[in-house]
Amino acid sequence: MQGLDWVILGIYFVVLIAIGIWASTKRKKGGALFLAEHSLRWHHIGFSMWGTNVGPSMLIASASAGFTTGIVSGNYAWYAFVFIALLAFVFAPRYLGANISTLPEFMGLRFGQSTRNILAWYTIVTVIISWLALTLFAGGVLIRQVFDIPMWMSALVLVVISAFFTMLGGLKAVAYTNVYQMILLIVVSLVLVIVGLDRVGGIQALVDKVPSDYWVMFKPNSDEAFPWLPILLGYPVMGVWFWCTDQSMVQPVLAAKDLREGQLGTNFTGWLKILDVALYILPGIICFALFGDTLKNPDEAYLTMVENLFPVGMVGLVFAVLTACLVSTIGSALNALSTVFTMDVYVKNFKPGAPQWEINLVGRIVVLIGSVLAIVMTVAIDAIKGLNLFNVFQSVLGFIAPPMAAVFLLGIFWKRCTARAANVCLTVGTVFCLTVGILYLWPPAWLTMQWPHFMLLSFYLFVILIAGMILISLTDSDKTRYEIPAPVKEDWSRLAIGLWVALAVVMVSLYIYFN
């Protein structure tokens, strides 16, 4: 970081804070913080969902995957369009029709208060561990390396910035700043790709300098890292959980102005996911072509490109982009945490008639408490040596997907599914899945079985949970049935349908071309 880099980084923060303050003035005085007064348009929704999904660890990990295996890891980005479409046309109409603030509230309408309580605490723990602590840990490692400051200080800086927007303007401020930050991310990443391609000698030169299987999306089942069948069967479990039932991801859709904006916004997210391969994975492939003989650690691919290809000034802009990714993800997570605790725990269980000002106050207090907890957990994770806890926790969180996916899918598509089946799946099923995950990650000496691929194992767990829920529902003596409010009674936008059809055609064409 040189003088000009610091100046550019400073300008980024000034503009970011200015946008956040301006966005907060757009919120009606005394209005709710959590759903932006149902005012979000398609571009706010698209950039917010994509921004929540993007993090510096994703940038670095994607470039690393591109360096070692080519574009095959892009399946996790391109395959997502199927489940984003499921959100747009199956889940979103029901969520908006029920006029809910949180997804636990929606499941409470379907299965009753007990399910809502379980899912609320389930969501709170997931947000604190996955979205906050792990994102802060990954970002803190990066900032500590660049600026040479302690982990606690790195985490504190990131949380203060994110909490500022969340407390000041709620989801509206988070969504408006996400637009600015994600546009900046696209511009800087695109410049890095263009400069890298120019240094290599063009696209054809790049193709000639890397192995031919770097351009194939489907690897044979004998491939240890990316076999096609486990991805085909296992990713849908993760996809339904992440894109359709996770509060942090879905909240911008809940805040949509109407269903049309929600469907257009999710469609925009699908188009943005196409860029993941070009902006995140391709730099790693270019790095392999340029520095493959000298670079020993693939995780350094992204920053190696920045260090060797960008002049003074652009480096500061890159770190502004990495900070933007962090602020976007953390801000969305803090808002989701605040919404779920305030609406599903405080208002529902302790003070149902609380006035709006009190609800907003509690929401801001939850943001503060969540920030402190996340910092403490980040420092604790950093204090444990000799173990890559970031990768371990991310893997364990993958075992959380089957129970959530099973409960939401059967809850919506099968009227005979009972509350007892849902509650058993969310409690006993989660313990079962996490136990399998622990045995998978740290197998004891006596366990000599050959584990299937991680994604295939997730699919098997999902099938077991679905079978268990069906069995419990069919034998359940409690025949109480809850009715979800009808989906939004409005015609689907022809524009939204046309854009989704166009996206599907483009995605299928890309898969055909790269196979």
Side-chain angles (χ1 to χ4, degrees):
M1 293 282 287
Q2 304 298 318
L4 183 58
D5 295 311
W6 285 106
V7 170
I8 290 176
L9 191 59
I11 293 173
Y12 156 74
F13 279 117
V14 170
V15 175
L16 179 66
I17 292 172
I19 293 176
I21 294 174
W22 171 77
S24 67
T25 64
K26 297 293 184 181
R27 187 173 64 86
K28 295 178 183 178
K29 188 175 181 180
L33 289 172
F34 306 128
L35 294 182
E37 297 149 341
H38 293 285
S39 63
L40 296 191
R41 304 295 299 274
W42 62 271
H43 52 288
H44 301 129
I45 296 168
F47 279 125
S48 290
M49 292 184 68
W50 193 51
T52 303
N53 181 219
V54 175
S57 57
M58 178 179 174
L59 290 178
I60 294 171
S62 296
S64 174
F67 185 92
T68 55
T69 60
I71 67 170
V72 64
S73 61
N75 277 295
Y76 298 110
W78 287 1
Y79 197 3
F81 90 95
V82 175
F83 309 100
I84 303 175
L86 192 67
L87 170 63
F89 293 104
V90 175
F91 288 90
R94 288 167 172 80
Y95 292 158
L96 296 179
N99 193 29
I100 57 168
S101 299
T102 70
L103 300 186
E105 181 183 358
F106 180 78
M107 282 290 102
L109 295 175
R110 174 62 178 87
F111 293 118
Q113 184 60 32
S114 60
T115 304
R116 180 176 181 176
N117 289 334
I118 293 171
L119 199 54
W121 287 107
Y122 191 105
T123 302
I124 288 168
V125 171
T126 302
V127 169
I128 292 175
I129 295 176
S130 175
W131 288 107
L132 290 176
L134 291 178
T135 301
L136 280 175
F137 175 64
V141 168
L142 182 67
I143 290 179
R144 180 175 60 185
Q145 291 174 346
V146 175
F147 301 111
D148 194 25
I149 58 177
M151 173 61 78
W152 69 267
M153 191 178 296
S154 303
L156 180 63
V157 170
L158 293 169
V159 163
V160 166
I161 297 170
S162 305
F164 169 76
F165 297 124
T166 308
M167 294 175 66
L168 186 67
L171 182 60
K172 180 170 286 190
V174 172
Y176 278 53
T177 52
N178 278 348
V179 173
Y180 158 67
Q181 296 188 113
M182 293 306 101
I183 290 175
L184 183 64
L185 169 65
I186 291 172
V187 171
V188 173
S189 299
L190 184 60
V191 170
L192 181 63
V193 170
I194 292 173
V195 172
L197 284 174
D198 181 69
R199 181 70 67 88
V200 171
I203 295 178
Q204 187 57 50
L206 177 64
V207 172
D208 294 338
K209 291 182 179 181
V210 301
S212 59
D213 66 347
Y214 268 40
W215 309 106
V216 176
M217 290 296 289
F218 284 141
K219 296 290 182 74
N221 272 331
S222 57
D223 187 89
E224 292 185 2
F226 297 100
W228 70 269
L229 185 60
I231 291 176
L232 186 67
L233 296 178
Y235 184 83
V237 180
M238 301 287 292
V240 170
W241 165 60
F242 187 79
W243 292 106
C244 302
T245 73
D246 184 271
Q247 180 74 26
S248 298
M249 289 303 306
V250 176
Q251 190 147 322
V253 177
L254 301 182
K257 185 178 179 180
D258 50 40
L259 180 60
R260 178 180 182 274
E261 295 294 333
Q263 291 176 335
L264 289 174
T266 51
N267 177 261
F268 186 39
T269 304
W271 288 103
L272 289 172
K273 290 299 292 180
I274 296 178
L275 298 180
D276 285 13
V277 173
L279 299 183
Y280 308 153
I281 296 176
L282 191 57
I285 300 175
I286 295 172
C287 185
F288 179 86
L290 293 174
F291 311 107
D293 295 333
T294 58
L295 185 63
K296 303 302 180 184
N297 184 2
D299 290 341
E300 298 175 359
Y302 188 86
L303 293 182
T304 297
M305 290 280 287
V306 172
E307 180 182 357
N308 287 277
L309 300 182
F310 273 175
V312 173
M314 283 297 293
V315 175
L317 200 56
V318 168
F319 285 116
V321 163
L322 295 176
T323 306
C325 295
L326 285 162
V327 171
S328 177
T329 302
I330 295 168
S332 299
L334 285 174
N335 192 70
L337 174 69
S338 176
T339 306
V340 171
F341 183 88
T342 304
M343 302 307 295
D344 291 313
V345 178
Y346 181 78
V347 173
K348 184 64 179 177
N349 295 308
F350 296 102
K351 201 165 183 183
Q356 190 60 56
W357 68 265
E358 184 177 339
I359 293 173
N360 289 347
L361 177 62
V362 172
R364 291 186 171 107
I365 293 173
V366 172
V367 170
L368 285 177
I369 295 174
S371 300
V372 172
L373 283 174
I375 293 173
V376 171
M377 291 184 66
T378 301
V379 174
I381 291 171
D382 186 55
I384 302 176
K385 308 298 181 183
L387 188 64
N388 188 335
L389 283 179
F390 180 75
N391 290 336
V392 169
F393 274 130
Q394 288 289 64
S395 299
V396 169
L397 287 169
F399 290 95
I400 292 178
M404 289 284 283
V407 168
F408 273 81
L409 287 175
L410 281 189
I412 286 179
F413 290 108
W414 192 40
K415 290 185 177 181
R416 296 184 62 185
C417 186
T418 65
R420 179 172 286 121
N423 293 345
V424 169
C425 183
L426 289 173
T427 52
V428 178
T430 297
V431 172
F432 170 65
C433 290
L434 290 178
T435 301
V436 173
I438 291 171
L439 293 175
Y440 177 85
L441 290 166
W442 300 289
W446 53 265
L447 187 63
T448 58
M449 65 175 290
Q450 183 69 34
W451 289 99
H453 187 274
F454 167 76
M455 283 290 188
L456 202 56
L457 183 58
S458 181
F459 173 73
Y460 292 154
L461 291 172
F462 172 75
V463 171
I464 291 172
L465 293 180
I466 288 287
M469 289 183 68
I470 292 174
L471 181 62
I472 293 173
S473 296
L474 293 177
T475 58
D476 192 353
S477 58
D478 184 359
K479 301 302 181 182
T480 304
R481 294 289 181 266
Y482 298 87
E483 291 293 332
I484 299 175
V488 173
K489 296 292 186 180
E490 61 181 71
D491 293 334
W492 290 346
S493 163
R494 290 184 179 181
L495 176 60
I497 294 174
L499 288 173
W500 270 108
V501 171
L503 177 61
V505 171
V506 169
M507 295 307 305
V508 171
S509 300
L510 285 172
Y511 267 100
I512 292 173
Y513 180 79
F514 285 105
N515 282 288

